[in-house]
Amino acid sequence: MNVHFSKRAEGLKASEIRELLKLTEMPEIISFAGGLPAPELFPVSEMIDVCKNVFLNDGESALQYSSTEGCKELREIIAKERMAAAKVNTTYNNIAITTGSQQAIEFSAKIFVNEGDTIICESPSYLGALNAFKAYNPNFVEVPMDENGLIVSELEKILKSTSNVKLIYTIPDFQNPTGKTLPDDRREAIAKLAAEYKVPVVEDSPYGDLIFEGTRHPSIKSFDKDGWVIYLGTFSKTFCPGLRIGWICASPEILEKYIIVKQGADLQGSTLDQKITAQFMKEYNLDLHIKDIIKVYDRRRKLMLSSIDKYFPKNTSHTNPCGGLFTWVKLKDGLDAAEILKDALKENVAYVPGGAFFANGGHPNYFRLNYSCMSDDKIVEGIKRLGKVLSKYC
Amino acid sequence: MNVHFSKRAEGLKASEIRELLKLTEMPEIISFAGGLPAPELFPVSEMIDVCKNVFLNDGESALQYSSTEGCKELREIIAKERMAAAKVNTTYNNIAITTGSQQAIEFSAKIFVNEGDTIICESPSYLGALNAFKAYNPNFVEVPMDENGLIVSELEKILKSTSNVKLIYTIPDFQNPTGKTLPDDRREAIAKLAAEYKVPVVEDSPYGDLIFEGTRHPSIKSFDKDGWVIYLGTFSKTFCPGLRIGWICASPEILEKYIIVKQGADLQGSTLDQKITAQFMKEYNLDLHIKDIIKVYDRRRKLMLSSIDKYFPKNTSHTNPCGGLFTWVKLKDGLDAAEILKDALKENVAYVPGGAFFANGGHPNYFRLNYSCMSDDKIVEGIKRLGKVLSKYC
């Protein structure tokens, strides 16, 4: 066979994260590579009754086709509860359901970006977004970050000097991969720049509710007066990722395009999963559930950071996330975390090498660690093993 | 606001079917416009226990992230049961789960078609596929059909005379919108032509199991020796559309591209819905359930066709589907079914005008009728009303 794929498909490679996850499925490996929520915190027993109630209430509707934009009841709950938590005053009319945030990320490139157009993203940024964007052959410009995230003056410089900027992609809360969080004044400034330069901002906020220190920051969307900010939310990190329920909150003109693109992409998401999610939110208080999650993740974070300080060589550094799932480790210049990973796997411990999180490559001396999905003793043991491996290099 | 969308998004319009469905949600309208399965046949009470068993077996896994290609257990069932019914001998390694067939259709254009490349499709063809393909700005060439579907000699002429053909899209079983079914020798001939001209065939078969007369035809994929046929299946018409479980069966080289594209598009489909579907298939016999569906749809088909013969003007004609959900009505030349629909809606009856099913437009004197989702008395009453409207024009 000699199959001719399209130009966009020819260049697509399997994601490093997914390939790694396959390697790390072996039970003897302590993997800090994934970004999985802790499954022992899923409300499994509650879900039995929730599902039963969905079928008893209106089982036929739950199993039938429904609208592309999603079930109204769930969109109302999202507007009233989740968007209010992000300090956005909105209604279900501005909400559409997507298959996780990932689908909305991919749609964003499809909707705004022609080949060769510029996407501005953080340096580093979420690998899954960069991979989705790459299918549209954009030009990436990376905004430098300091310890508080994206530097606004650098963003402005780029906007001033770059033609055909069609999208700004940012993860303001406990960023993937760095764990950094943007201060409120920078959020406001980004919303203003978007309106000034007439460039849509995709605000990807999967971790905004998972706060260990301080209170929830207002979203960039909450400062958006003219509709240039597109907010992406998800229940994957606060409820259950297996249901794949994410959402977009955007102005009507923009939201309509997302809905039309979704119509062609898959007609609609699962009716059943939307009804189950809405029913759960009616029967239980998600914010109380989030508090339980935070308690566990915060303990694991502290344990991981103190273990790093104890076992890692002194010339490595790491971020201090105040929420979310990740910390980001910097090795001394000249080291290659992808190379070192091979050694780490021999010691049965894994992480994600940082290079793939930079849109234009480079920066091999970083890696990402996840602390949400691992028991206390494995965190200590895994970091100890990793420290031993790193000591050979640093 | 003056938003600049990408070229591909600029041209996208909401689907006629979806916009119509909104109109026809009013309870007083008898709508033959949709393509919905009959909800009263959904196994609602069985699903309560099926879901409970999923959560009791391994609830944490059912709510967690899982692999992009889909849950192994479900892929095994699909290979052993559904693909065997289509006379394809395969294993789970050649199966990937998608969000309905629609997602696999959209991916097919993304994977194979550059701007300006040619897609060959039937004349007419499934509106939702044409809309999904249009985002990739292809050139469409329509293959004429006779009463048995796509004419193979015409397909060969097109393949001989057209450069850059990247995809052949066909619905061989009880086609949407015509209800026509391709004889076995044509299926074999299409598989041979695909290999000869090295052009992938996307065989979309949502209705293959819904047979009223005769036995199930072998799929085009069953005649595929070199891997040029990509088979798309779905549980939307035989189980529940609300769970959005479809699948691709393809050779490894091609399937891999679909999986990578799905990774960027939404990471994966719902883990829960996949587990529920697999659990249902383990506890119940889907083929027995399909027999129950067929009994009802066959009765409704007969009733619709006999009502058409009774109430429609004599200079209209219709197809005689031996399975599936649709019949296709031809009005005399010069009439416009989209215009007549406005009158029909005044009489509280609806259908889908045929023009949008032709990739390159034209043919306004056709419309599609669905008989699966309507009670006997409403079928008779609706066709009677429609006959009255048509009589004014014919």
Side-chain angles (χ1 to χ4, degrees):
Chain A
M1 266 185 104
N2 184 10
V3 192
H4 289 283
F5 296 107
S6 64
K7 277 179 284 176
R8 76 184 75 79
E10 202 61 71
L12 292 178
K13 299 266 165 60
S15 128
E16 206 165 327
I17 284 190
R18 288 267 148 179
E19 293 307 302
L20 268 173
L21 279 176
K22 280 181 195 167
L23 269 179
T24 59
E25 270 166 14
M26 292 173 287
E28 64 271 25
I29 288 199
I30 297 177
S31 175
F32 303 122
L36 306 186
E40 68 272 23
L41 299 174
F42 294 154
V44 174
S45 58
E46 291 87 336
M47 289 293 270
I48 294 175
D49 272 338
V50 165
C51 285
K52 191 176 167 184
N53 292 338
V54 165
F55 287 119
L56 292 177
N57 288 350
D58 188 2
E60 290 182 6
S61 296
L63 297 172
Q64 184 60 290
Y65 284 112
S66 55
S67 70
T68 303
E69 59 268 33
C71 300
K72 189 180 161 198
E73 193 180 14
L74 179 60
R75 289 155 62 217
E76 281 175 340
I77 292 169
I78 288 168
K80 273 185 207 156
E81 300 180 10
R82 304 333 306 163
M83 293 313 301
K87 311 284 191 295
V88 177
N89 183 12
T90 190
T91 72
Y92 76 94
N93 282 310
N94 297 314
I95 309 284
I97 304 297
T98 55
T99 306
S101 296
Q102 183 70 30
Q103 186 174 49
I105 290 170
E106 206 269 347
F107 286 172
S108 302
K110 191 167 187 179
I111 288 169
F112 293 109
V113 181
N114 294 314
E115 196 172 329
D117 282 346
T118 293
I119 297 176
I120 297 178
C121 59
E122 285 143 359
S123 180
S125 182
Y126 166 50
L127 167 53
L130 300 180
N131 280 341
F133 294 157
K134 277 175 187 166
Y136 297 92
N137 296 315
N139 167 44
F140 286 108
V141 178
E142 300 174 50
V143 193
M145 300 170 82
D146 61 19
E147 69 279 13
N148 294 316
L150 182 159
I151 302 167
V152 172
S153 59
E154 296 286 339
L155 173 63
E156 189 164 13
K157 262 191 234 166
I158 296 166
L159 285 167
K160 257 188 196 149
S161 61
T162 316
S163 59
N164 289 324
V165 176
K166 295 300 174 66
L167 204 64
I168 300 167
Y169 174 73
T170 175
I171 309 157
D173 304 294
F174 321 119
Q175 199 230 20
N176 182 358
T178 63
K180 293 174 183 176
T181 289
L182 213 60
D184 295 359
D185 58 334
R186 295 198 192 181
R187 292 166 190 251
E188 191 171 1
I190 292 172
K192 276 188 186 162
L193 283 176
E196 188 182 336
Y197 287 88
K198 298 188 182 303
V199 175
V201 172
V202 171
E203 177 182 24
D204 186 11
S205 185
Y207 318 110
D209 286 316
L210 298 177
I211 313 151
F212 311 143
E213 294 172 20
T215 53
R216 201 193 198 293
H217 289 269
S219 59
I220 301 173
K221 180 75 183 159
S222 74
F223 297 106
D224 176 32
K225 287 183 186 123
D226 303 307
W228 290 98
V229 182
I230 299 154
Y231 180 97
L232 310 186
T234 177
F235 289 112
S236 289
K237 305 303 187 291
T238 52
F239 178 48
C240 310
L243 272 65
R244 314 296 301 117
I245 306 284
W247 69 88
I248 310 165
C249 176
S251 56
E253 185 186 353
I254 288 177
L255 193 67
E256 194 204 0
K257 282 289 179 198
Y258 279 89
I259 294 168
I260 295 175
V261 164
K262 184 161 175 70
Q263 211 171 77
D266 62 11
L267 296 181
Q268 57 157 110
S270 162
T271 314
L272 180 62
D273 292 355
Q274 292 181 65
K275 299 256 183 195
I276 289 172
T277 305
Q279 186 68 26
F280 183 90
M281 303 302 150
K282 275 174 14 185
E283 294 188 25
Y284 297 91
N285 183 329
L286 186 67
D287 289 304
L288 290 180
H289 180 63
I290 291 173
K291 276 190 184 162
D292 292 337
I293 295 174
I294 287 175
K295 228 178 280 174
V296 175
Y297 289 5
D298 186 25
R299 194 187 66 232
R300 291 176 179 175
R301 167 192 68 136
K302 284 177 181 147
L303 191 59
M304 177 172 278
L305 295 183
S306 63
S307 301
I308 288 176
D309 290 339
K310 190 166 171 190
Y311 295 114
F312 276 20
K314 293 304 158 211
N315 54 358
T316 62
S317 61
H318 62 82
T319 56
N320 285 298
C322 302
L325 310 184
F326 305 109
T327 184
W328 180 241
V329 179
K330 187 183 179 194
L331 302 172
K332 67 172 187 178
D333 284 347
L335 289 180
D336 183 344
E339 277 303 308
I340 298 174
L341 178 61
K342 293 172 192 165
D343 255 15
L345 285 169
K346 283 180 206 155
E347 299 291 328
N348 288 329
V349 60
Y351 55 76
V352 187
F357 294 91
F358 293 90
N360 296 313
H363 311 272
N365 58 320
Y366 288 87
F367 62 86
R368 191 191 73 179
L369 292 173
N370 165 265
Y371 47 76
S372 60
C373 191
M374 198 61 71
S375 64
D376 293 7
D377 55 331
K378 283 195 169 176
I379 289 179
V380 176
E381 174 59 26
I383 294 297
K384 201 170 161 182
R385 287 184 200 170
L386 201 47
K388 207 177 113 193
V389 173
L390 294 176
S391 300
K392 288 195 273 176
Y393 296 87
C394 298
Chain B
M1 266 186 102
N2 183 11
V3 192
H4 289 284
F5 296 109
S6 65
K7 278 180 284 178
R8 75 184 76 78
E10 203 60 73
L12 292 177
K13 299 264 164 62
S15 130
E16 206 165 328
I17 284 190
R18 289 267 148 176
E19 293 307 302
L20 267 171
L21 279 175
K22 280 182 196 167
L23 269 179
T24 59
E25 269 167 15
M26 292 173 284
E28 64 271 25
I29 287 200
I30 297 177
S31 175
F32 303 123
L36 307 187
E40 67 273 23
L41 299 173
F42 294 154
V44 174
S45 58
E46 291 88 336
M47 288 293 269
I48 294 175
D49 273 338
V50 164
C51 284
K52 190 175 168 185
N53 291 337
V54 165
F55 287 117
L56 292 177
N57 288 349
D58 188 2
E60 290 183 5
S61 296
L63 298 173
Q64 184 60 290
Y65 284 113
S66 54
S67 70
T68 303
E69 59 268 34
C71 299
K72 188 179 162 198
E73 191 180 16
L74 179 60
R75 289 154 63 215
E76 280 176 340
I77 291 169
I78 288 168
K80 275 186 205 155
E81 299 180 10
R82 303 336 304 165
M83 292 313 300
K87 310 286 191 297
V88 177
N89 183 12
T90 191
T91 71
Y92 76 93
N93 281 311
N94 297 314
I95 309 285
I97 304 299
T98 55
T99 307
S101 296
Q102 183 70 29
Q103 186 175 48
I105 290 170
E106 206 268 348
F107 286 173
S108 302
K110 191 167 187 180
I111 288 169
F112 294 110
V113 181
N114 293 313
E115 195 172 332
D117 283 345
T118 292
I119 297 176
I120 297 178
C121 59
E122 285 142 359
S123 179
S125 183
Y126 166 51
L127 168 53
L130 300 180
N131 281 341
F133 294 158
K134 277 175 187 166
Y136 297 93
N137 297 316
N139 167 44
F140 286 108
V141 179
E142 300 174 51
V143 193
M145 300 169 82
D146 61 19
E147 68 279 13
N148 294 315
L150 180 160
I151 302 167
V152 172
S153 60
E154 297 286 338
L155 172 62
E156 188 164 13
K157 261 192 236 165
I158 295 166
L159 285 168
K160 256 188 198 150
S161 62
T162 315
S163 59
N164 289 325
V165 177
K166 296 299 174 65
L167 203 64
I168 300 167
Y169 174 74
T170 175
I171 309 157
D173 304 295
F174 320 120
Q175 200 232 19
N176 181 358
T178 64
K180 292 174 182 175
T181 290
L182 214 60
D184 295 0
D185 58 334
R186 294 197 193 181
R187 293 166 189 251
E188 190 172 0
I190 291 172
K192 276 188 184 159
L193 283 176
E196 190 183 333
Y197 288 87
K198 298 188 183 304
V199 175
V201 173
V202 170
E203 177 182 25
D204 185 11
S205 185
Y207 318 110
D209 287 315
L210 298 178
I211 312 150
F212 311 143
E213 293 173 19
T215 51
R216 200 193 199 291
H217 289 269
S219 58
I220 301 173
K221 179 75 184 158
S222 73
F223 298 106
D224 176 32
K225 288 184 185 121
D226 302 306
W228 290 97
V229 182
I230 299 154
Y231 180 96
L232 310 186
T234 177
F235 289 112
S236 289
K237 305 304 186 291
T238 53
F239 177 49
C240 311
L243 272 65
R244 314 296 301 120
I245 306 284
W247 69 88
I248 311 164
C249 175
S251 54
E253 186 186 354
I254 288 176
L255 193 67
E256 194 204 1
K257 281 286 179 202
Y258 279 89
I259 294 168
I260 294 174
V261 164
K262 184 163 174 68
Q263 211 170 76
D266 61 10
L267 296 182
Q268 57 157 112
S270 162
T271 314
L272 180 62
D273 291 355
Q274 292 181 61
K275 300 256 184 195
I276 289 172
T277 304
Q279 185 70 25
F280 183 90
M281 303 302 150
K282 275 171 20 185
E283 293 187 25
Y284 297 93
N285 183 328
L286 186 68
D287 289 305
L288 290 181
H289 181 63
I290 291 172
K291 276 189 184 163
D292 292 337
I293 296 174
I294 287 174
K295 228 178 279 173
V296 176
Y297 289 6
D298 185 24
R299 194 188 66 233
R300 291 176 178 175
R301 166 192 70 136
K302 284 177 180 147
L303 192 59
M304 178 172 277
L305 295 183
S306 64
S307 302
I308 288 176
D309 291 339
K310 192 168 169 189
Y311 295 112
F312 275 19
K314 293 305 158 211
N315 53 0
T316 62
S317 62
H318 62 83
T319 57
N320 285 298
C322 302
L325 310 184
F326 305 109
T327 184
W328 180 241
V329 179
K330 186 183 181 194
L331 302 172
K332 68 171 186 178
D333 284 347
L335 289 180
D336 183 344
E339 277 302 309
I340 298 173
L341 178 61
K342 294 172 192 165
D343 256 14
L345 285 170
K346 283 181 206 155
E347 299 293 326
N348 288 329
V349 59
Y351 54 75
V352 187
F357 294 92
F358 294 90
N360 297 312
H363 311 273
N365 58 319
Y366 288 87
F367 61 86
R368 191 191 74 178
L369 293 173
N370 164 265
Y371 46 75
S372 59
C373 191
M374 198 61 71
S375 64
D376 293 8
D377 56 331
K378 283 195 170 176
I379 288 178
V380 175
E381 174 60 25
I383 293 297
K384 203 170 160 180
R385 288 184 199 170
L386 201 47
K388 207 177 113 192
V389 173
L390 294 176
S391 299
K392 290 195 271 175
Y393 295 89
C394 300

